Amino acid sequence: MWKTILRRVLAMIPQIIILSLFIFLLAKAMPGDPFTGLINPNMDPAAIEKMREAAGLNNPWYVQYWDWVTNALQGDFGQSFLFKLPVTDIIGQRATNTILLSVLTAILTYLIALPLGLFSGRYQNSIFDKTVVIYNFVSFAVPIFIFALLMLFIFGYRLEWFPTTGSVGSGLESGTMAYYGSKFYHMILPAISQALLATAVTIQYLRNEVIDAQQMDFVRTARAKGVPTNKVFTRHIFRNASLPIAAQLSYEISALISGSVVIEQTFAYPGIGKLFIDAINGRDYSVITALVLILGIVTIVGNLISDIVMSIVDPRIRIQ
């Protein structure tokens, strides 16, 4: 198994190289540059051109790409034109917020989806099952930005149960219990908003697998031998039904991160998603390319993690 994992890791290298080249060329294809629209219109064009030259924007694309890659391998993604700070520092500050929000969202997603999917499949065509199916249809149909705005309006502005902006209260000292409590409090509403819609895929997968597993021969044999229903459900049905959940782990990781773009922008939550939108609006290529590359690598690694989890859940499966 370890040799297979090593081969998969080595195979990721050309994937990341191709991804980095694709990202860089797409960023260069965007109209304008970091100096477009951000400089005093009365400024001397010659001075602007000198700034572009100093930033290396007039070099051939392959020279710029090589410089970017070699610096990135050393952990240097350049300087942000918009924030006037090193890109790694900016992403490091925002990444913590996004990771915490994504982890909380993932926990809430599975806490909601697992029981609903399991019991909906076990008690097919019951009132509970029909209610879950309706909930799933609504979750699939409602756009996340509309649902987030609705949650923000009801629970943030009308009821005032949760804060509407930021990631922590003002005036709190970092590292204190009050600071961490405020940070968690600011994450609750964005996490619930994203989790309630993210559960739909997991519930549907799990429900269908439970229904199919109940018709399999080994389940009928176990019941014929007098094995208690709960034991059949936990040891046989649930284990087989959990395989698609493990298979879509990589999708869940990328979906949480991509969904955070909308959530963070809606709730003015200072994470990677909001940083990405601000960088696009400001044509900050250094931040854009670094973020997309990191998110792409996370997705590739997520696929590997998904395969490993599947092999652990079912020893019959081996990573090819």
Side-chain angles (χ1 to χ4, degrees), residues 197-310:
L197 296 187
T199 55
V201 175
T202 304
I203 290 174
Q204 193 63 35
Y205 268 118
L206 198 53
R207 177 182 178 274
N208 293 342
E209 288 299 319
V210 169
I211 293 173
D212 292 341
Q214 291 183 89
Q215 309 302 321
M216 292 183 179
D217 292 338
F218 68 89
V219 173
R220 293 177 179 176
T221 302
R223 285 175 172 167
K225 290 181 177 180
V227 179
T229 302
N230 288 335
K231 197 171 183 180
V232 171
F233 189 78
T234 54
R235 287 197 175 183
H236 299 285
I237 297 177
F238 175 70
R239 186 165 186 175
N240 281 273
S242 62
L243 289 177
I245 307 303
Q248 69 165 0
L249 180 61
S250 61
Y251 166 78
E252 292 287 351
I253 293 174
S254 58
L256 284 177
I257 297 175
S258 60
S260 68
V261 174
V262 177
I263 289 294
E264 291 176 7
Q265 190 70 13
T266 303
F267 289 92
Y269 185 82
I272 288 179
K274 190 174 186 305
L275 174 63
F276 187 63
I277 298 297
D278 293 340
I280 292 176
N281 292 332
R283 297 181 179 88
D284 199 340
Y285 293 147
S286 299
V287 176
I288 294 171
T289 52
L291 283 176
V292 178
L293 179 62
I294 292 172
L295 296 180
I297 292 174
V298 168
T299 302
I300 293 173
V301 173
N303 287 325
L304 176 62
I305 294 174
S306 176
D307 290 339
I308 295 173
V309 171
M310 286 186 64

Side-chain angles (χ1 to χ4, degrees), residues 47-198:
I48 297 176
E49 188 63 25
K50 184 178 290 186
M51 295 172 65
R52 288 195 177 99
E53 183 69 31
L57 296 178
N58 293 334
N59 294 333
W61 70 268
Y62 50 86
V63 175
Q64 295 183 49
Y65 172 73
W66 177 254
D67 292 340
W68 177 63
V69 169
T70 52
N71 290 330
L73 290 174
Q74 302 173 40
D76 180 13
F77 286 97
Q79 191 85 0
S80 168
F81 292 95
L82 186 62
F83 300 96
K84 311 302 180 185
L85 291 170
V87 174
T88 50
D89 292 348
I90 300 171
I91 294 178
Q93 295 168 4
R94 302 291 188 94
T96 302
N97 288 338
T98 296
I99 291 172
L100 291 174
L101 178 61
S102 297
V103 169
L104 180 59
T105 302
I107 292 173
L108 292 175
T109 298
Y110 284 105
L111 285 178
I112 297 170
L114 289 179
L116 291 183
L118 288 172
F119 287 105
S120 178
R122 183 174 182 178
Y123 303 107
Q124 185 184 11
N125 296 325
S126 64
I127 296 178
F128 177 81
D129 177 44
K130 292 177 181 178
T131 304
V132 171
V133 170
I134 294 173
Y135 164 71
N136 254 22
F137 282 141
V138 173
S139 299
F140 275 121
V142 177
I144 187 171
F145 68 92
I146 292 179
F147 185 71
L149 286 173
L150 185 63
M151 295 285 285
L152 181 65
F153 175 74
I154 295 175
F155 298 102
Y157 289 106
R158 297 290 294 181
L159 299 178
E160 298 183 353
W161 288 358
F162 300 99
T164 56
T165 59
S167 64
V168 69
S170 59
L172 297 176
E173 183 180 353
S174 178
T176 62
M177 290 298 296
Y179 176 86
Y180 291 119
S182 176
K183 212 165 184 61
F184 178 75
Y185 184 47
H186 279 72
M187 288 192 297
I188 294 177
L189 188 57
I192 292 176
S193 301
Q194 191 173 358
L196 286 174
L197 296 187

